[in-house]
Amino acid sequence: MFISSSGVTYHVQVMGEGEPIVFLHGFTGSIATWSRATEPLHNSYQCIFIDIIGHGETDSPDDFSRYHIETVAKDIIHILDALSIPKTHLVGYSMGGRLALAISILYSTRVTSLVLESSSPGLRTEEERAARRKSDEQLANRIEQEGIQGFIDFWEKIPLFLSQQALTKERQQEIRKQRLKNNPVGLANSLKGMGTGSQPSYWDRLNELNFPTLLLCGELDQKYCRIAEEMSLSIQNAKVEKIVEVGHAIHVEQPRFFGKIINEFVSDHFSQ
């Protein structure tokens, strides 16, 4: 189905019935990236999948300011309103995790529990954010100059995704095919408008989260495991879970196990 919010039409998929869970994918991802990990959940929950602005079948506006994380957070709330969902569990991966965190802080009464997979609250200082904005702009320019195929050739080889080389060739091709379906304008503008350097830092607001929070990281992704441990010190009801023998994209590398983790966490924290 398609739901519009402030001039942007979002692609939304709803599977199953029951307690709602919203899934927000990462950069270069789409609704399709969740399929293997979440299929068993459709029997017990209402799973809501959203192509984030600039990705999948959702619109890719030319104005990168439309991609600002707090503007998109408002869009997600509008989608929940359209679906008559007053409160939901949120699961976000990487970029989608930063978006899920923004929603959780800005619209806390709409969130039952939060799962952040390999994500962060942004960068602490303006100096760090300025440096990141510069590197994200260079990446965005690369997409605009080389096109989607040239960029994905580069992106799938960055160290963050090194552990995915252990996946079968068939699975790697499946991931590549999904990434290539994205709009180059949408990806470039996501980097400019929703990159880590463009969003506010939420480090000082983590103590506002007052619902169960699960911070997932893959043990091979040491950077994001350090961030998860540091975040957990500021979140009053947080648990860190490190998944062995996987990297940044746990739901891609160990989809069944990821689904099991989500099932157990959500079933423990049904909204009352």
Side-chain angles (χ1 to χ4, degrees):
M1 73 176 75
F2 292 88
I3 298 173
S4 291
S5 175
S6 301
V8 174
T9 300
Y10 281 81
H11 178 221
V12 180
Q13 194 174 67
V14 180
M15 308 286 284
E17 293 180 359
E19 189 80 1
I21 314 175
V22 171
F23 292 86
L24 299 170
H25 62 76
F27 177 65
T28 76
S30 73
I31 282 171
T33 60
W34 295 111
S35 59
R36 288 175 182 246
T38 62
E39 197 174 340
L41 300 175
H42 302 167
N43 297 325
S44 308
Y45 307 102
Q46 182 187 24
C47 298
I48 299 108
F49 306 96
I50 302 170
D51 279 338
I52 297 172
I53 188 171
H55 291 75
E57 294 179 49
T58 290
D59 287 350
S60 297
D62 291 332
D63 177 6
F64 73 83
S65 68
R66 183 60 182 81
Y67 295 66
H68 189 273
I69 200 162
E70 298 195 346
T71 305
V72 179
K74 191 175 180 180
D75 290 339
I76 303 301
I77 293 299
H78 183 90
I79 290 167
L80 293 179
D81 289 344
L83 295 172
S84 301
I85 296 172
K87 204 167 184 180
T88 185
H89 302 270
L90 272 181
V91 179
Y93 160 64
S94 201
M95 177 190 78
R98 291 187 289 108
L99 176 57
L101 182 58
I103 295 164
S104 299
I105 287 169
L106 299 172
Y107 304 96
S108 60
T109 59
R110 306 297 296 268
V111 181
T112 306
S113 74
L114 175 65
V115 179
L116 299 180
E117 176 193 359
S118 307
S119 198
S120 85
L123 297 166
R124 289 184 185 275
T125 69
E126 179 49 41
E127 289 76 18
E128 287 177 298
R129 289 194 290 276
R132 183 57 182 264
R133 283 196 298 273
K134 189 175 179 182
S135 66
D136 280 345
E137 197 159 329
Q138 289 170 345
L139 264 184
N141 291 339
R142 185 173 193 147
I143 298 171
E144 290 162 352
Q145 290 161 12
E146 297 182 9
I148 190 81
Q149 187 156 337
F151 176 71
I152 296 303
D153 286 347
F154 157 77
W155 187 249
E156 61 193 8
K157 291 182 176 68
I158 66 171
L160 199 64
F161 302 123
L162 194 62
S163 54
Q164 291 185 22
Q165 291 178 13
L167 296 169
T168 64
K169 292 296 180 192
E170 182 187 9
R171 185 75 179 107
Q172 289 181 54
Q173 280 302 312
E174 192 179 302
I175 295 165
R176 177 178 172 81
K177 191 176 176 183
Q178 176 274 309
R179 285 173 170 157
L180 287 169
K181 284 183 179 176
N182 281 309
N183 185 325
V185 172
L187 294 188
N189 282 343
S190 293
L191 286 168
K192 293 176 188 175
M194 207 192 294
T196 314
S198 299
Q199 73 160 76
S201 171
Y202 293 125
W203 279 105
D204 293 339
R205 300 191 66 180
L206 293 176
N207 60 355
E208 296 175 27
L209 300 179
N210 59 0
F211 35 72
T213 302
L214 178 62
L215 305 172
L216 296 175
C217 63
E219 68 165 356
L220 303 178
D221 185 9
Q222 294 179 1
K223 174 186 173 181
Y224 280 90
C225 282
R226 283 196 302 271
I227 291 171
E229 292 286 3
E230 196 173 347
M231 288 174 71
S232 71
L233 301 176
S234 300
I235 303 172
Q236 52 191 304
N237 194 1
K239 176 188 174 189
V240 177
E241 196 161 335
K242 295 180 186 178
I243 314 304
V244 298
E245 297 180 357
V246 295
H248 194 64
I250 303 159
H251 68 286
V252 171
E253 296 178 48
Q254 291 283 355
R256 287 184 182 175
F257 187 51
F258 181 86
K260 184 171 179 285
I261 291 168
I262 300 301
N263 182 33
E264 289 175 359
F265 180 73
V266 171
S267 65
D268 284 345
H269 301 293
F270 271 359
S271 57
Q272 302 300 317

